Amino acid sequence: MTSGTDSRSPGALAGLRVIDFGQGVSAPHCARLFADYGADVIKVEPRTGDAARHSGPYPGDLPDQERSGLFFFHNTNKRGVTCQVEHPEGRRLFLDLVSKADVLIENNLPAQMRAWKLDYATLAAHNPRLVMISITPFGQTGPYSEWNGSDLNAYHLSGASARYCGRPHEMPLEHGTFSADYFGSVTGAAWGLGAVFGRDLVGGGQHVDVSSAEAIAAAFVGGQNIGGLAQDGRSDSRTGVGMPLGAPATILPCKDGHVWMLALEPGQWKGLRKVMGDPEWANLEMFNDMYTRAQNADLIYELMADWLMAHGKMELMEMCQAAGCPVTAVFTIEEAARHPHLQARDYFVDIEHPALGRVHSLGAPFKLPASPGGPHSPAPLLGQHNQEVYGGLLGLSAAEIERLQALGAL
Amino acid sequence: MTNTLPLKGIRVINFGWVWAGPVVGQTLGFLGAEVLKIESRARIDMTRNLPPFAEGIPGPDRSLSNHACWAGNGSVTLDLKHAEGLELALRLIAESDVVIENFGPGVMERLGIGYESLRAVKPDIILFSMPAAGLYGPLEHVRTYGLSLTSLTGLDSLVGYKGETPIPVENAYSDPFAGIFGSFAILTALTHRRNSGEGQHIDFSQQEAVMQMVGPAYMDYALNGRSGKPKGNEHPTAAAAPHGVFPCSGDDRWVAIAIGSDAEWAALVAEMGAPAWATEPALATLAGRVQAIDQLHAEIAKWTRSHHDRALTDRLQAVGIAATPVLKVADLLDDPHYRARDTFIEVRHPLGFDETIYGGYVKMSRTPAVVKPGPVMGQDNDHAFLNILGLGEEEYQRLKESRVIY
């Protein structure tokens, strides 16, 4: 049981106040990283709630805005308030919150923030020390900044899918999760916390403009490809196999699922041969180096098939790793969730939630021994901390909060 | 105009190699830290010898991908197998704030630069370690490549065509992801040090950090006991439909379309000319569209096939639909958006050639990143040994000649 606040150390980011004015995945996850490590994060939602509340997974697939697993995962350790920023009194409250904050994290389309008169220039006038982290598919400037977009659009605009994921001539693929949103999230967290850390040195706050598509196009695709494109016009595309220039290097089926089969360096190939029981075919001269093996990859994969189908993925991983060959099992979600290694490292936490009950969730993304972090309190119910935040932090009376509620400002 | 960057005054020693570790240093470097990568001609990092090379001439200071991925790091050459090399590394660490490494667990100790040794020379040092599966636990010595690390998180089990088995992502998405994420971890520890005076040894398991990306599928397991499977480009939590990539005219051209609301669906139906199949009342709601998603996607693909990806994007965006072309590597340099944002920049390398790398991909309104070319081996030796450590000129020459500084 990890809820309860008594024995916890304050966390590395204690003393920072963060307003999470995001929905869905990217900005809420970024704000959760600040919350994981001790910042006081206040989530500001419209009356209808963060869009993630209207998405599953729900227990038993029964929609309920207080029981969304998607919302829960990205909003632990936060306090939650409601605020209608399009209402003049709601906007005033939002500006009061921003005045008392170090960081604002949001992922609204730039035109929407301007329509609410909550653009960076306006917010900076209220709080010059504010670091505003905006995480959007395309960013705040440039011809696509007015486009509507989602994780899917950002990912496919980065070049990552056409280059690295899918079979040739078939549709390029996203990774089956919110890959662009998460990339944008960690990018915003890193650059944004950098801006906070150096705030006094550089003379105040600033706007941290993250385009998820651009971050991936640069740091993932660009890093490996852009020099060759610019100099030689070189533009490679996806092949559908793991590593076209070496073999074995792909995902292969085995008795109970799949393994990531990798044996490139001479020692790794030698180890694999041994584990396979030194079959005659593997001793052929033509299979001596990874490049010639790559030219015969289909043949090799066929020759390995019987052996692979006779063994389970965990067994294959253990045997190969012991022989110096970096084969890993392709864990299903369940296998990852139940793996003894992650249990031994206390990666999981149990959190009591008023509507979901006890949730067994993923813990801290990294371990800071001197200032431990990770989720400990449940995601807030919609408007759960209105009294606490508007009363305690902004000093409004109960009657005033009630008046604002009746006006539709909250 | 002077541009004081946020991490000015923070010095980082980076033992990171290949990709993830150098990206940690790069991110801190883009934010203004002084990052000195320690490397040696005695064992040159394999990525320094990856083609393509500048002007087609091979050499460890001419790999274009290495330069892009390492820009932001400086370079100091030291052979740590020499006792004197190790001692010089420790003396540099004594003058630094952060040490980065991405070896396996125990390697730093064997080299003589484990956390306790670092603390002995710099009590409040922050050591950042990013082994594949963390510093301890049953899998602590697991060996992975960047592109297969994701198999240990469950993520790879989600990638593929709908109804099929997993297919590999062909490069290490987790390397830059964990590299950038790692710099956030270091910044939390720097903040803690500022508040408390305490350093620490960060245990950054790439498995655990990258597994954050599996959160939505993990929650479906935690709440419903289900393990997700590949489903193409469909929305990860079925909260949008249609949600896919559709063929366009030309070779390998595609458009990505995500319909997040009933109003957007109505707009798409109108753009398609309101065909009978699309005006079925059942499709007016998300639940109905999720139910019929295979048919929907097949019909939309028939419609998009004759359209140009960019023309169709413009047309759909004009009515508020989230559509984008699917870009290929060849499209990146000429893309008007990336051009407008200076995503890729041409820089003059100290060896005299021009090369294209990526620039500050986050736009900071007060402190834009200043990006220089990838480091030449040993480019910061003079600064490190003469300025920071104050070695005499003779001593410096002797260390170079005896290949300690090498």
Side-chain angles (χ1 to χ4, degrees):
Chain A
M1 191 57 218
T2 43
S3 56
T5 51
D6 305 327
S7 59
R8 269 199 328 276
S9 68
L13 302 182
L16 281 185
R17 182 169 295 126
V18 176
I19 306 296
D20 168 8
F21 189 49
Q23 299 194 34
V25 174
S26 60
H29 184 258
C30 181
R32 206 209 84 186
L33 294 175
F34 281 80
D36 274 349
Y37 293 95
D40 172 19
V41 180
I42 298 170
K43 183 169 185 79
V44 178
E45 296 179 78
R47 170 165 66 201
T48 49
D50 178 339
R53 291 184 182 274
H54 306 289
S55 162
Y58 303 105
D61 296 326
L62 299 170
D64 176 343
Q65 66 175 16
E66 297 300 359
R67 286 158 61 90
S68 160
L70 189 70
F71 181 81
F72 177 91
F73 182 74
H74 297 108
N75 293 286
T76 45
N77 295 13
K78 299 178 188 175
R79 295 191 284 173
V81 300
T82 50
C83 182
Q84 294 298 110
V85 296
E86 70 277 14
H87 191 290
E89 299 246 29
R91 180 173 175 276
R92 182 178 57 76
L93 280 179
F94 185 80
L95 290 173
D96 287 348
L97 285 175
V98 166
S99 301
K100 291 185 179 296
D102 301 284
V103 179
L104 169 68
I105 305 176
E106 61 92 22
N107 59 355
N108 300 285
L109 293 175
Q112 180 64 73
M113 290 299 274
R114 285 198 304 275
W116 284 325
K117 298 194 188 71
L118 295 175
D119 53 286
Y120 173 68
T122 305
L123 299 178
H126 281 79
N127 180 0
R129 287 179 53 77
L130 182 73
V131 170
M132 176 172 174
I133 305 171
S134 295
I135 307 168
T136 57
F138 316 118
Q140 304 294 308
T141 62
Y144 308 162
S145 60
E146 300 303 309
W147 278 3
N148 189 12
S150 69
D151 170 84
L152 182 82
N153 303 111
Y155 193 79
H156 287 290
L157 192 72
S158 72
S161 63
R163 172 68 183 91
Y164 289 126
C165 199
R167 291 186 287 259
H169 312 298
E170 292 182 52
M171 71 174 172
L173 297 168
E174 222 273 27
H175 297 177
T177 188
F178 300 88
S179 295
D181 279 353
Y182 286 116
F183 207 100
S185 163
V186 299
T187 300
W191 289 68
L193 187 55
V196 174
F197 187 85
R199 202 161 42 162
D200 292 328
L201 192 64
V202 307
Q206 57 180 318
H207 196 189
V208 179
D209 167 15
V210 179
S211 152
S212 305
E214 181 183 26
I216 299 166
F220 179 48
V221 186
Q224 299 291 339
N225 295 279
I226 209 68
L229 174 67
Q231 178 182 282
D232 307 324
R234 180 172 167 168
S235 167
D236 295 315
S237 287
R238 63 196 180 283
T239 66
V241 297
M243 203 188 268
L245 293 179
T250 195
I251 291 178
L252 293 175
C254 63
K255 190 176 170 185
D256 60 353
H258 295 82
V259 289
W260 233 114
M261 175 52 64
L262 273 161
L264 299 174
E265 294 164 23
Q268 298 171 356
W269 175 243
K270 198 175 150 203
L272 181 64
R273 275 165 51 192
K274 197 176 112 206
V275 175
M276 289 192 295
D278 260 317
E280 250 175 68
W281 65 264
N283 294 324
L284 291 176
E285 180 81 28
M286 64 191 278
F287 294 151
N288 270 352
D289 75 58
M290 68 174 204
Y291 302 105
T292 50
R293 287 199 298 274
Q295 285 155 14
N296 299 283
D298 289 344
L299 177 62
I300 288 181
Y301 298 152
E302 208 179 298
L303 288 165
M304 293 174 72
D306 284 348
W307 173 70
L308 284 169
M309 294 312 287
H311 299 279
K313 62 172 103 167
M314 298 298 181
E315 185 193 359
L316 287 164
M317 172 164 156
E318 200 168 308
M319 292 191 301
C320 292
Q321 290 273 342
C325 179
V327 170
T328 48
V330 176
F331 290 178
T332 63
I333 300 298
E334 178 175 22
E335 286 160 353
R338 298 171 66 100
H339 200 279
H341 177 72
L342 293 172
Q343 313 272 352
R345 288 176 54 81
D346 292 322
Y347 184 51
F348 299 95
V349 292
D350 286 306
I351 298 175
E352 282 299 331
H353 182 274
L356 283 166
R358 179 175 291 200
V359 181
H360 191 60
S361 194
L362 305 187
F366 52 87
K367 293 190 190 302
L368 288 185
S371 46
H376 52 75
S377 303
L381 303 175
L382 186 58
Q384 182 182 343
H385 302 96
N386 280 355
Q387 297 290 338
E388 188 179 313
V389 171
Y390 291 133
L393 184 63
L394 297 189
L396 304 188
S397 67
E400 175 67 357
I401 297 172
E402 208 165 300
R403 184 186 72 83
L404 291 165
Q405 192 97 46
L407 270 178
L410 301 189
Chain B
M1 195 182 106
T2 58
N3 180 11
T4 299
L5 294 172
L7 300 188
K8 186 184 157 93
I10 298 293
R11 184 175 292 142
V12 179
I13 300 297
N14 191 356
F15 293 100
W17 61 305
V18 185
W19 196 1
V23 170
V24 183
Q26 168 178 83
T27 313
L28 298 173
F30 283 177
L31 287 163
E34 179 190 358
V35 185
L36 301 175
K37 218 188 106 46
I38 308 271
E39 53 183 330
S40 175
R41 291 185 195 283
R43 188 174 183 232
I44 293 175
D45 192 292
M46 51 128 2
T47 64
R48 279 196 171 278
N49 285 311
L50 277 186
F53 297 103
E55 297 167 326
I57 304 166
D61 281 319
R62 309 183 71 94
S63 164
L64 299 174
S65 59
N66 171 268
H67 289 178
C69 296
W70 285 22
N73 290 279
S75 173
V76 170
T77 47
L78 266 182
D79 187 353
L80 300 176
K81 292 279 191 297
H82 274 276
E84 281 187 300
L86 192 64
E87 191 212 317
L88 287 167
L90 280 166
R91 284 174 65 186
L92 280 173
I93 289 165
E95 304 297 325
S96 301
D97 302 283
V98 176
V99 174
I100 296 166
E101 62 98 2
N102 64 334
F103 305 119
V107 173
M108 289 288 278
E109 282 79 3
R110 284 204 295 282
L111 286 169
I113 42 178
Y115 179 56
E116 291 308 321
S117 310
L118 305 193
R119 252 165 44 123
V121 299
K122 185 77 188 333
D124 65 352
I125 196 75
I126 292 163
L127 172 59
F128 175 78
S129 295
M130 55 184 317
L135 289 169
Y136 65 92
L139 283 183
E140 67 177 353
H141 293 299
V142 71
R143 297 185 49 173
T144 68
Y145 276 44
L147 82 177
S148 63
L149 179 110
T150 37
S151 67
L152 301 178
T153 68
L155 182 58
D156 285 356
S157 75
L158 303 173
V159 184
Y161 295 95
K162 190 176 184 179
E164 295 188 20
T165 57
I167 72 165
V169 178
E170 299 171 43
N171 209 335
Y173 194 66
S174 62
D175 272 43
F177 180 85
I180 295 168
F181 203 168
S183 68
F184 171 75
I186 289 169
L187 281 157
T188 62
L190 280 166
T191 305
H192 178 73
R193 190 190 69 169
R194 178 186 276 172
N195 293 337
S196 69
E198 239 184 336
Q200 57 187 309
H201 185 184
I202 304 171
D203 179 3
F204 186 99
S205 158
Q206 294 192 51
Q207 177 192 27
E208 288 164 21
V210 172
M211 200 165 158
Q212 290 285 309
M213 294 195 359
V214 180
Y218 170 81
M219 289 306 298
D220 196 29
Y221 172 73
L223 299 177
N224 293 311
R226 289 190 291 240
S227 270
K229 292 195 163 51
K231 48 180 193 168
N233 285 297
E234 288 184 17
H235 190 273
T237 61
H243 191 273
V245 165
F246 304 98
C248 290
S249 60
D251 176 32
D252 197 25
R253 307 298 339 184
W254 308 80
V255 64
I257 300 174
I259 297 295
S261 70
D262 296 342
E264 289 167 22
W265 169 247
L268 180 64
V269 172
E271 286 301 311
M272 291 189 292
W277 66 265
T279 51
E280 285 289 325
L283 300 183
T285 65
L286 174 64
R289 292 194 297 276
V290 168
Q291 191 78 38
I293 197 157
D294 291 336
Q295 180 219 347
L296 234 62
H297 283 181
E299 293 288 354
I300 294 169
K302 285 186 211 160
W303 175 68
T304 57
R305 201 174 287 277
S306 59
H307 291 83
H308 183 273
D309 54 353
R310 288 195 180 262
L312 186 58
T313 293
D314 288 341
R315 189 174 142 191
L316 295 178
Q317 285 286 352
V319 294
I321 293 169
T324 40
V326 177
L327 297 191
K328 302 197 247 195
V329 167
D331 303 322
L332 293 175
L333 277 179
D334 295 329
D335 183 83
H337 191 66
Y338 295 138
R339 288 181 78 94
R341 288 176 67 86
D342 288 326
T343 307
F344 306 106
I345 57 174
E346 192 176 75
V347 290
R348 169 61 56 93
H349 191 274
L351 295 182
F353 49 83
D354 293 325
E355 61 181 356
T356 298
I357 61 178
Y358 57 87
Y361 51 88
V362 173
K363 312 309 171 197
M364 304 280 274
S365 63
R366 190 187 287 270
T367 60
V370 179
V371 177
K372 300 180 193 125
V376 178
M377 289 190 81
Q379 67 174 37
D380 299 295
N381 284 352
D382 289 358
H383 172 59
F385 299 116
L386 300 176
N387 298 343
I388 300 176
L389 297 188
L391 298 188
E393 189 65 45
E394 252 174 59
E395 174 77 343
Y396 182 44
Q397 288 309 325
R398 182 188 68 79
L399 290 163
K400 284 205 279 194
E401 279 156 26
S402 56
R403 295 195 168 181
V404 170
I405 295 172
Y406 179 62

